[in-house]
Amino acid sequence: MCLDCARGQDHCHGTLLRWADGWVECTEPGCLPDRARHGWVGDAATEF
Amino acid sequence: MARAIWTGVLSFGLVSIPVGLYTAVTEHDVRFHQLQAGTGDRVRYQRVNERTGEPVEYSDIVKGYDLGDGQYVALTQEELEQVAPGRSRSLDIHAFVDLAQVDPVYFQRSYYLAPGTPEAAKPYALLREAMARTGRAAVATFVMRGREYLAVIRPREDVLVAETLYFADEVRDPREELDLPDVEQDFRPGEVEMATQLVEAMSGPWRAEDYRDSYTDRVRELIEAKSAGREVVGQAEAPAPTNVVDLMSALQASVDAARSRRQPQDAAPEEPAATGRGARRGGSAGRGGAARRGGAAGGLSGEPADLSTASRQELVRLARELDVPGRSKMSREQLRAAIASARSASAPPPRRRRRAS
């Protein structure tokens, strides 16, 4: 069980992708790309 | 009702206030889906097991630290929380500072901080009041989703706002990153004065609602045009960089233009009956004056204006002057209709013609 789900908090299960040029996107369509809402963050330039 | 992205206690001294952290901003970008070019097929991200190729559920994923040679240390969410027990439940205030001392380069994102329980309302209000009276902001840290955050908390009207900050080592040194010109430059006589005059001529109060993401408007227009099968017309090209030799004349022309834009309305006499609804004039002088004033949509003096050619910014200005509710979220078409409606509603009844005696 996800702890954030258990706490009823607003969060996203997608991965926030940070591109080398600073662009940030989430793998979940329509998601607000806020670091604080994500448990998974990846640097697209190096990890994908 | 908004859901908190984090809940815990705000601690300062021996006082602990249950609070929730809520997203304060949203982004109005046009949301696109990924399609494979030449098809209408949606493209999606999917987490798959590299060995089996099978999709993996979010709840089945743990964090793995790469030791090399295919060896990983796996860590669960619970184990990461236990690294600093309680830290993820506490927003600890370390000091109070003058917010003006914080360079805006450190600011990340804004969140509203609200009392977490009815009993928290009083100490929350007390802290907010004390900060408002002293003009101080609180420096605090907390842990959220596997990361420590630095934040400043400040009062804003009835609410406390937490601005997350970058840590010092996360802000790049421009001298290392950029090829900057020498600070000492040989300016020609009058250049600094002329540039200063231009800054002054374009100065004005900051009003967030005066600025509009016109690029997103254009993208929406492009989408509407393409979906309707209409021709898409490009925007004018950006101006060419100023030739250094012509810098002085470019500055002079800019100052003249800025002054002439503000001249007509500044000099215009007040209308005697200009009170109440629709009576406010086109803002104070300064930046944005060119955009806010005297455009295709006309001023406030009631002369006929061609709304069909007015930019959205001009329409918003007119709508503001006419107190049109919900104007900031309206499209150009909606603004035109609302302005026309407000004008007709506020127009005096038609005068009867006197019969010739």
Side-chain angles (χ1 to χ4, degrees):
Chain A
M1 177 68 168
C2 166
L3 284 181
D4 297 321
C5 287
R7 290 170 182 155
Q9 294 178 348
D10 175 21
H11 65 293
C12 175
H13 286 181
T15 299
L16 202 67
L17 302 178
R18 295 185 298 209
W19 296 87
D21 62 0
W23 175 256
V24 179
E25 65 174 326
C26 178
T27 54
E28 291 295 312
C31 171
L32 179 70
D34 177 2
R35 167 68 179 84
R37 296 180 63 252
H38 294 81
W40 292 97
V41 180
D43 287 322
T46 57
E47 295 179 20
F48 290 85
Chain B
M1 189 73 176
R3 269 197 309 156
I5 65 164
W6 180 90
T7 52
V9 292
L10 175 63
S11 302
F12 72 110
L14 296 175
V15 180
S16 295
I17 309 169
V19 290
L21 202 61
Y22 299 82
T23 301
V25 296
T26 185
E27 291 174 7
H28 59 222
D29 300 15
V30 178
R31 300 288 169 86
F32 289 111
H33 293 289
Q34 299 184 47
L35 302 179
Q36 183 170 8
T39 76
D41 299 337
R42 291 271 294 268
V43 175
R44 291 182 184 280
Y45 292 102
Q46 192 174 37
R47 295 183 174 97
V48 295
N49 181 316
E50 282 193 349
R51 182 175 57 80
T52 65
E54 294 293 319
V56 182
E57 290 294 321
Y58 182 84
S59 55
D60 289 336
I61 298 175
V62 295
K63 295 192 172 180
Y65 182 80
D66 188 357
L67 295 173
D69 297 329
Q71 301 292 309
Y72 293 91
V73 174
L75 298 168
T76 64
Q77 226 177 339
E78 290 81 358
E79 287 173 324
L80 287 167
E81 285 239 335
Q82 287 306 311
V83 170
R87 290 291 309 281
S88 64
R89 304 283 84 200
S90 178
L91 180 52
D92 299 319
I93 293 177
H94 302 285
F96 290 90
V97 299
D98 179 357
L99 189 62
Q101 288 183 340
V102 183
D103 185 334
V105 76
Y106 289 98
F107 289 122
Q108 265 184 338
R109 195 176 273 267
S110 303
Y111 300 90
Y112 294 133
L113 202 57
T117 62
E119 296 73 31
K122 185 174 179 181
Y124 174 93
L126 189 63
L127 175 62
R128 188 193 62 217
E129 183 64 24
M131 290 167 72
R133 288 190 184 192
T134 56
R136 296 294 169 113
V139 179
T141 56
F142 64 109
V143 173
M144 176 167 61
R145 302 196 172 90
R147 187 181 197 266
E148 177 152 355
Y149 285 86
L150 177 65
V152 284
I153 300 166
R154 64 183 173 87
R156 181 178 186 264
E157 298 172 356
D158 295 338
V159 72
L160 287 174
V161 178
E163 315 275 358
T164 54
L165 303 176
Y166 290 104
F167 286 98
D169 64 326
E170 293 179 302
V171 176
R172 293 176 175 178
D173 183 345
R175 287 160 298 190
E176 290 178 8
E177 303 287 334
L178 309 173
D179 185 19
L180 294 170
D182 293 334
V183 175
E184 295 298 324
Q185 294 279 329
D186 290 327
F187 299 115
R188 289 195 293 169
E191 278 182 339
V192 174
E193 290 75 14
M194 188 62 71
T196 306
Q197 282 182 38
L198 179 55
V199 171
E200 293 295 342
M202 295 176 69
S203 294
W206 160 250
R207 284 192 295 259
E209 64 274 17
D210 283 353
Y211 299 87
R212 171 82 189 174
D213 179 356
S214 58
Y215 178 78
T216 296
D217 289 343
R218 296 286 301 175
V219 172
R220 292 188 194 283
E221 287 169 13
L222 171 66
I223 292 167
E224 284 174 23
K226 282 197 84 167
S227 77
R230 295 197 302 270
E231 185 184 357
V232 178
V233 181
Q235 271 281 56
E237 288 187 13
T242 305
N243 185 330
V244 176
V245 179
D246 298 333
L247 186 56
M248 195 65 177
S249 56
L251 283 170
Q252 181 64 64
S254 303
V255 171
D256 293 344
R259 285 177 176 163
S260 67
R261 276 198 296 270
R262 101 174 9 182
Q263 200 71 33
Q265 283 206 3
D266 284 353
E270 289 292 322
E271 290 172 48
T275 56
R277 214 176 123 83
R280 223 177 66 189
R281 300 196 67 84
S284 56
R287 196 240 69 83
R292 292 202 303 270
R293 295 172 173 215
L300 245 195
S301 51
E303 74 276 18
D306 184 6
L307 297 180
S308 65
T309 58
S311 69
R312 190 181 183 286
Q313 195 171 17
E314 289 166 334
L315 292 170
V316 169
R317 175 179 62 80
L318 278 174
R320 187 187 315 123
E321 291 166 356
L322 290 163
D323 287 339
V324 173
R327 56 191 174 265
S328 63
K329 293 180 179 173
M330 288 184 182
S331 66
R332 284 176 70 186
E333 289 303 322
Q334 290 170 326
L335 282 164
R336 284 188 199 112
I339 290 167
S341 172
R343 278 179 168 171
S344 63
S346 61
R351 289 181 186 171
R352 288 184 181 175
R353 282 187 181 176
R354 282 186 184 172
R355 288 181 184 172
S357 56

